[in-house]
Amino acid sequence: QVQLVESGGGLVQAGGSLTLSCAASGNIFIINSINAMGWYRQAPGKQRELVAAITSGDSTNYADSVKVRFTISRANAKNTAFLQMNSLKPEDTAVYYCHARRGTVVNYDYWGQGTQVTVSS
């Protein structure tokens, strides 16, 4: 199995920055088979939404609301993903979840426990 552990959340003032990290650990075969990692977030009373994703080929995808402000990247070892968040806004307040996916015909999804990001105005 694979475990995803997030870190880096916290409280920040509007306009500030935070960097989230997600480290995958466990079965090395599964980890090496991961073909995409990403970050989702869920605010109170709202559905979970995709924030940013990166593939094993380093293609990236961002929600319109975070484009330009957020940057997703991966470590060379492929088992760690980062989300650099700049110019944070109060509406970015949410629990942020790391996500990893492997598979081609059938997808297998893995989730972290979540880390709280709170942006004060």
Side-chain angles (χ1 to χ4, degrees), residues 5-7 20-22 37-41 49-54 72-73 81-83 96-99 111 115:
V5 178
E6 303 105 334
S7 61
L20 304 183
S21 300
C22 173
M37 294 186 74
W39 292 91
Y40 285 70
R41 67 186 180 188
E49 63 174 358
L50 173 69
V51 177
I54 185 167
I72 190 170
S73 60
F82 306 95
L83 185 68
Y96 284 69
Y97 296 91
C98 181
H99 169 259
W111 293 94
T115 184

Side-chain angles (χ1 to χ4, degrees), residues 18-30:
L18 282 175
T19 300
L20 304 183
S21 300
C22 173
S25 63
N27 187 302
I28 191 64
F29 172 78
I30 294 176

